[in-house]
Structures are given as C-alpha cells and as structure tokens.
Amino acid sequence: MELNTNQLKFLKINQFGESYSASLVDNKEFEIIKGYGSTVVEAINDMHDNLI
C-alpha cells in the first residue's frame, strides 16, 4: 500500500537529502509539532511519539 500524503490536509512532509520531516500544521500552516526519520512513515511515527 502506498502512502498518499496529498490526502492529509494538516500534515506537511519535507525531504532533506535522504531524510524526511513530518509536521502537523494548523489552517495557517503554522507547525504545531514535528517529527524526523529516514522515511516518511518513520517521520510520521516520530511526530506521533512526540505527542504521547
């Protein structure tokens, strides 16, 4: 299954070389929390771990 991040309205994904960041953003694109990883899924999981 492929992850289509375009369908996630409040999630911003950035790629920096071979690493990724995932940010939860509000309506004005202000970053609320951020996670990092070597894949998009790892970055989302890191962001989720930071919420807990």
Side-chain angles (χ1 to χ4, degrees), residues 35-49:
Y36 300 92
S38 59
T39 66
V40 173
V41 174
E42 284 182 12
I44 293 170
N45 284 336
D46 183 54
M47 180 184 66
H48 179 257
D49 286 342

Side-chain angles (χ1 to χ4, degrees), residues 4-30:
N4 184 356
T5 56
N6 294 330
Q7 296 176 341
L8 303 173
K9 183 177 180 181
F10 295 106
L11 188 65
K12 182 169 72 172
I13 304 293
N14 290 316
Q15 183 176 9
F16 305 101
E18 294 184 16
S19 62
Y20 294 87
S21 71
S23 304
L24 180 65
V25 296
D26 64 9
N27 287 333
K28 295 179 183 177
E29 302 240 351
F30 179 77

